[in-house]
Amino acid sequence: MTESSDAFVEFERVQKSYDGETLVVKDLNLNIGKGEFLTMLGPSGSGKTTCLMMLAGFETATHGDIRLDGKPINSVPPHKRGIGMVFQNYALFPHMTVAENLAFPLEVRKMGKADIEAKVKRALDMVQMGAFGGRRPAQLSGGQQQRVAVARALVFDPELVLMDEPLGALDKQLREQMQFEIKHIHEELGVTVVYVTHDQSEALTMSDRIAVFNDGKIQQLAPPPTLYEKPDNSFVAQFIGENNTLDATVDSVDGRFARVRFNDGTLSRALAVNCGGPGSQTRLSLRPERVEFDANVEPDEEGVTGLVKELIYLGDHIRVRMEVLGNRDFVVKVPNGAEVSELRVGETAGLTWRAEDCRALDAA
Amino acid sequence: MADATAGDGIAPEENRSASGLLLSADGTPLKNSIARAERRARIRAFLLILPLLAFVMVSFIAPIADMLFRSVENDIVADTLPRTVVELQDWDPASGVPGEPVFEAFYADMLDATEAKIHTRLGSRLNYEESGMSSLFRKTNARRLGRIDDTQPLAPQFEKIDEDWATVEPWAILKTFSARYTPGYFLQAADMKLTPEGVESVDETQQIYIKLFWRTIILSLTITCSCLLLGYPVAWLLANLPMKSANILMILVLLPFWTSLLVRTSAWKVLLQEQGVINDILVWIGLVNDGARLVLINNQIGTVIAMTHILLPFMILPLYSVMKTIPPSYLRAAKSMGANDWVAFWRVYFPQSIPGIGAGAILVFILAIGYYITPELVGGTSGTFISNRIAFHISTSLNWGLAAALGSLLLILVMGLYWLYDKIVGIDNVKLG
Ligand SMILES: Nc1ncnc2c1ncn2[C@@H]1O[C@H](COP(=O)(O)OP(=O)(O)OP(=O)(O)O)[C@@H](O)[C@H]1O
Ligand SMILES: [Mg+2]
């Protein structure tokens, strides 16, 4: 399902500016395959909602083309695009009951009464809200409103559904449950979903592919495991999951690996992913769970020593905060076991990792 | 510690009296302690609103109560002619002119009244009911009463003062209006009158109040509708334009508030008159023949136009405050589901703006129905409201009782319409901000 070659939604060199001075979306190129669950993930203000609104037709692209199923939609008004949408605040019509809300898109399509009733019932059952058809949105809990909003976006069988932070207002537990349900519905119906969030764990659990946005640009577009394990640049490494950074200078590049020099003069090897030639600054990225306490450095491993600053007991594992080469927030995750008991706050310890797991990225 | 208090077998956390009431720490029933604690807060709250309460009582409730009282009050007959009123009680107008005891009582009463110089006031009061009573009482003055010889039969001597005293009518009127409270003013306000024979409508040619009430209601409704038609799009713009333009527009909406009402109304006179700006323009662009200029002022059209302009902000502001709270995402949601602009507006936006319409309409209608200055200035004779008639009775004809009755009827009317509105639209649906 991932990496579909026949693009259903295409953004081609799309730019957007609200005020004519700053570009909110800069040169966006994005292909979304049919049936794909694509998430736009990024910090606040990075232009995610703007992209969604351009796709839905509520904002016009300043430059570039947006194509839906091969046809340019720049001049198609929103109500003719046939795109289902779930808004951040749900936008359920407060003066209509749940059933009337769901019937609305069918009524404007001039569907027969019996058809409408059947479809509304099916959609409500799909989100387990069958018993709530007669209620007003105000009489529902946040999670229930959210389900109704999803059902309403799907009831007229759109091929594409956009969701703008639909779970933003829910508490953690409910959010996790709804993530599962939305994912489930997506798999069942096979609709294409473009999902916006700034919660990375939400993006990782639900998506086929994630587009990481920052500063109006897609930083990386990849399936979740790739994004976590092989970040292309420092922003993605830092934004997705926990990350340790070490600043260094490139000494030489030799095939896949780069030889880098830390500030204290020690040399080390790292995977040359996104670093410049010899002499340029680089930032090394290391996941906390890929670092081990070990004084013996094996041939394919790299090692440093660090000062143990803090031990945080989390049951199954221990987080060790260390000071390593000037970085005071270097975190190591160790499984709870015999080796942890040897660690003492204030003592130095040897750290090792595989050169494969240390990625030399841009110094930004 | 729990053991110590649980000795009598009652739950340790709670103090309970023998009857099971919850007790507070010092042993008084919990309900009493709460009441005591809350009483102080209530008294303080009451003291805070006391000045306002006093002000409202003095300046609002009291005048209304006084008006309601005046509309039925009729002390003057019983106070001026106390003995006559008592004598007249057993008299039946069908039996002809009353007998000598009535004349004796009347003579004594009138001596007192003329001495206090209050007999003409009684005349004026009774003249509201029957014309001629005023001159009758003016004729029966101290000088003429002085010539009466009270050892002789009085009836013929009164007949000499004015022959009307020898007829049944003035006595019947006196008897009819001798009660201290009378429905007379209200009947008059409803184009009816109280006669010795009972209640009957006045001559068709003299019926004005019912017509005036109807006109007031119809014109007020027209004004409310035109305010809504003109105000809705403006309020929508206000709520949806970018901040900067919206602020300028808001100033334009509020501008009329900063201009004197009199100036604005007079400006309409200049604009609307036959040789005025509007007619000139219409003639100039050829829409209207110079010989047939439109009559836009001193009639109902003038009243509607000027009042619509003056009351427009009262429609726009509540509408705006409601529309401001309707998030644009509703319209977007409607459109994303396939509704075109009109359907999205009509099915989604409009229903949510109804509380604003309700608030604006009620405000404008109630203001319009009691409006006075503008109809007076631009309404001519056909475009005046009931309030103009009330003002006439207060300041010109000095028939305060009738003015009070008309005012009370207006009040009842407004409350009735309010009730109707509540039944149909629901007052909960009104939102002022
Ligand atoms: N209507 C608008 N007029 C002008 N600027 C806007 C408008 N809407 C958004 N912007 C600007 O565009 C940028 C991107 O906004 P956008 O809403 O797309 O961010 P986002 O990624 O959805 O953020 P969030 O996660 O907070 O929702 C922001 O800097 C914002 O200030
Ligand atoms: Mg957003």
Side-chain angles (χ1 to χ4, degrees):
Chain A
M1 198 186 292
T2 49
E3 313 284 355
S4 303
S5 53
D6 53 327
F8 182 53
V9 180
E10 279 175 88
F11 285 87
E12 194 183 314
R13 317 214 57 180
V14 172
Q15 294 186 327
K16 172 71 187 177
S17 171
Y18 285 105
D19 51 9
E21 284 168 18
T22 49
L23 282 173
V24 169
V25 174
K26 300 167 184 164
D27 194 30
L28 178 76
N29 294 289
L30 178 61
N31 289 350
I32 303 169
K34 209 170 175 104
E36 190 175 0
F37 195 117
L38 183 123
T39 299
M40 295 179 174
L41 174 67
S44 192
S46 53
K48 308 177 300 282
T49 300
T50 307
C51 287
L52 220 56
M53 288 300 161
M54 287 193 288
L55 187 49
F58 298 120
E59 297 289 352
T60 49
T62 318
H63 178 85
D65 283 320
I66 302 173
R67 281 189 289 274
L68 183 63
D69 216 1
K71 291 180 284 285
I73 53 168
N74 287 16
S75 57
V76 181
H79 69 272
K80 296 222 172 100
R81 293 192 183 190
I83 299 176
M85 200 154 177
V86 180
F87 290 80
Q88 182 159 14
N89 55 1
Y90 316 138
L92 296 176
F93 305 142
H95 58 290
M96 298 183 190
T97 63
V98 166
E100 285 166 350
N101 261 286
L102 261 72
F104 183 83
L106 307 174
E107 279 168 10
V108 299
R109 283 178 171 71
K110 309 241 173 346
M111 216 172 257
K113 262 224 158 63
D115 278 354
I116 292 182
E117 240 168 74
K119 272 181 169 277
V120 167
K121 189 174 170 333
R122 215 181 51 204
L124 279 179
D125 286 342
M126 178 179 70
V127 293
Q128 287 117 47
M129 290 289 292
F132 294 88
R135 293 234 198 142
R136 293 277 163 121
Q139 298 166 323
L140 300 178
S141 74
Q144 292 168 334
Q145 291 183 24
Q146 211 283 329
R147 283 161 211 247
V148 175
V150 170
R152 193 178 67 170
L154 291 167
V155 72
F156 59 99
D157 301 325
E159 292 191 73
L160 175 62
V161 178
L162 314 181
M163 302 190 184
D164 190 356
E165 300 191 31
L167 307 181
L170 304 183
D171 64 55
K172 189 163 174 293
Q173 207 167 352
L174 196 54
R175 202 158 63 214
E176 277 162 12
Q177 185 190 343
M178 289 306 302
Q179 285 168 6
F180 173 75
E181 283 183 22
I182 290 177
K183 187 68 193 149
H184 189 73
I185 289 171
H186 164 250
E187 274 158 13
E188 202 165 290
L189 302 180
V191 296
T192 311
V193 177
V194 180
Y195 192 96
V196 165
T197 181
H198 53 226
D199 177 343
Q200 45 132 332
S201 70
E202 191 168 301
L204 290 174
T205 49
M206 298 176 82
S207 323
D208 294 327
R209 283 194 302 162
I210 300 175
V212 180
F213 273 68
N214 189 37
D215 194 22
K217 274 189 294 223
I218 294 185
Q219 303 290 334
Q220 188 171 0
L221 173 63
T226 313
L227 215 52
Y228 183 77
E229 281 155 33
K230 298 176 181 154
D232 276 351
N233 56 43
S234 305
F235 175 81
V236 177
Q238 195 63 31
F239 193 73
I240 308 279
E242 255 192 305
N243 185 43
N244 291 312
T245 59
L246 293 171
D247 287 327
T249 319
V250 180
D251 200 57
S252 64
V253 180
D254 137 40
R256 287 173 62 220
F257 290 95
R259 183 155 290 281
V260 298
R261 186 183 295 280
F262 293 118
N263 299 345
D264 67 349
T266 42
L267 280 170
S268 180
R269 267 187 338 141
L271 204 59
V273 179
N274 190 9
C275 61
S280 57
Q281 285 290 313
T282 182
R283 180 165 282 178
L284 306 182
S285 154
L286 261 174
R287 296 295 181 195
E289 68 276 12
R290 297 291 167 96
V291 183
E292 279 176 23
F293 285 100
D294 193 357
N296 307 328
V297 181
E298 315 267 333
D300 66 334
E301 285 183 345
E302 300 303 319
V304 292
T305 52
L307 187 67
V308 179
K309 307 281 279 186
E310 195 178 3
L311 293 167
I312 302 162
Y313 183 78
L314 289 167
D316 60 334
H317 73 275
I318 314 279
R319 283 169 61 93
V320 186
R321 193 165 67 77
M322 311 203 40
E323 182 173 345
V324 176
L325 294 165
N327 179 355
R328 299 167 144 272
D329 282 314
F330 197 99
V331 172
V332 184
K333 268 189 202 169
V334 238
N336 199 351
E339 61 174 320
V340 191
S341 53
E342 292 159 20
L343 293 173
R344 296 278 175 279
V345 173
E347 289 180 3
T348 53
L351 295 170
T352 62
W353 58 80
R354 290 170 58 222
E356 284 281 337
D357 291 332
C358 178
R359 298 171 70 83
L361 305 173
D362 54 315
Chain B
M1 193 207 106
D3 284 346
T5 48
D8 52 355
I10 291 174
E13 306 83 28
E14 293 172 356
N15 289 325
R16 276 179 192 277
S17 72
S19 57
L21 278 176
L22 270 178
L23 299 182
S24 66
D26 61 359
T28 51
L30 198 54
K31 278 198 174 147
N32 292 8
S33 333
I34 291 176
R36 186 152 16 90
E38 283 183 352
R39 195 178 318 133
R40 207 172 316 139
R42 265 206 302 272
I43 289 174
R44 201 160 30 196
F46 180 75
L47 285 177
L48 277 176
I49 63 154
L50 193 62
L52 177 65
L53 192 66
F55 178 76
V56 168
M57 288 301 273
V58 169
S59 65
F60 188 70
I61 310 273
I64 288 182
D66 184 58
M67 176 185 78
L68 290 173
F69 178 66
R70 262 176 205 278
S71 62
V72 292
E73 179 242 49
N74 188 41
D75 282 342
I76 189 163
V77 180
D79 282 351
T80 319
L81 308 172
R83 284 156 280 208
T84 320
V85 167
V86 174
E87 289 296 332
L88 277 175
Q89 251 164 22
D90 306 323
W91 170 68
D92 176 15
S95 64
V97 182
E100 200 60 14
V102 173
F103 277 96
E104 276 166 18
F106 184 63
Y107 174 64
D109 283 339
M110 280 304 277
L111 278 182
D112 292 348
T114 49
E115 193 175 349
K117 297 201 168 63
I118 52 173
H119 63 293
T120 51
R121 262 206 271 164
L122 178 63
S124 312
R125 161 69 187 93
L126 292 174
N127 207 53
Y128 299 147
E129 314 298 341
E130 182 73 48
S131 51
M133 289 299 276
S134 178
S135 60
L136 180 62
F137 270 87
R138 230 177 302 117
K139 255 182 162 174
T140 318
N141 55 20
R143 191 169 44 82
R144 293 214 172 93
L145 285 172
R147 280 195 231 124
I148 283 181
D149 175 3
D150 55 1
T151 57
Q152 300 297 313
L154 290 170
Q157 301 187 60
F158 268 97
E159 189 178 353
K160 248 192 262 157
I161 295 176
D162 194 308
E163 58 212 19
D164 278 354
W165 288 125
T167 61
V168 177
E169 278 82 41
W171 302 107
I173 299 264
L174 271 178
K175 182 178 165 72
T176 313
F177 290 94
S178 60
R180 286 193 175 267
Y181 298 98
T182 171
Y185 293 124
F186 274 103
L187 290 170
Q188 233 178 313
D191 284 338
M192 289 183 276
K193 66 179 174 191
L194 191 63
T195 61
E197 291 82 41
V199 177
E200 55 186 54
S201 345
V202 299
D203 260 17
E204 203 132 326
T205 51
Q206 286 174 11
Q207 293 184 357
I208 51 170
Y209 297 116
I210 298 278
K211 230 169 64 189
L212 215 50
F213 270 115
W214 267 121
R215 184 202 287 166
T216 307
I217 293 174
I218 303 276
L219 284 187
S220 297
L221 283 176
T222 314
I223 291 161
T224 310
C225 289
S226 44
C227 275
L228 181 60
L229 286 180
L230 295 176
Y232 198 93
V234 178
W236 189 84
L237 274 184
L238 267 177
N240 289 288
L241 277 181
M243 193 68 140
K244 221 163 132 198
S245 346
N247 277 345
I248 294 174
L249 192 59
M250 182 57 110
I251 289 177
L252 291 180
V253 169
L254 291 177
L255 204 59
F257 276 138
W258 305 336
T259 329
S260 152
L261 177 64
L262 225 51
V263 172
R264 272 181 288 155
T265 307
S266 312
W268 278 114
K269 284 189 112 132
V270 177
L271 287 173
L272 293 176
Q273 58 187 267
E274 264 179 68
Q275 301 301 321
V277 180
I278 289 176
N279 264 312
D280 281 349
I281 291 175
L282 290 178
V283 169
W284 183 65
I285 57 176
L287 267 181
V288 167
N289 202 321
D290 198 10
R293 282 170 174 255
L294 302 177
V295 187
L296 296 173
I297 200 156
N298 294 332
N299 57 14
Q300 304 189 352
I301 299 174
T303 303
V304 170
I305 292 178
M307 294 261 295
T308 300
H309 168 237
I310 282 160
L311 296 179
L312 202 50
F314 295 99
M315 181 62 89
I316 292 175
L317 292 178
L319 272 176
Y320 164 72
S321 75
V322 167
M323 288 180 178
K324 196 75 194 158
T325 64
I326 306 176
S329 60
Y330 286 133
L331 275 184
R332 290 184 163 185
K335 284 185 202 167
S336 79
M337 286 183 274
N340 61 28
D341 289 350
W342 167 251
V343 173
F345 166 78
W346 182 246
R347 297 267 327 262
V348 174
Y349 197 85
F350 182 78
Q352 294 188 62
S353 67
I354 284 179
I357 297 180
I362 263 204
L363 209 59
V364 168
F365 182 79
I366 288 180
L367 280 173
I369 210 168
Y371 227 73
Y372 160 67
I373 301 179
T374 305
E376 183 75 23
L377 291 177
V378 300
T381 47
S382 67
T384 50
F385 281 7
I386 193 72
S387 44
N388 300 98
R389 201 68 200 166
I390 296 176
F392 167 79
H393 283 305
I394 286 178
S395 56
T396 311
S397 82
L398 300 184
N399 188 352
W400 287 18
L402 180 56
L406 287 170
S408 305
L409 276 186
L410 195 59
L411 183 68
I412 292 165
L413 188 76
V414 168
M415 294 203 304
L417 289 168
Y418 184 84
W419 176 83
L420 203 68
Y421 182 92
D422 187 29
K423 282 275 137 185
I424 297 171
V425 184
I427 212 68
D428 306 339
N429 248 334
V430 166
K431 204 153 86 183
L432 280 170

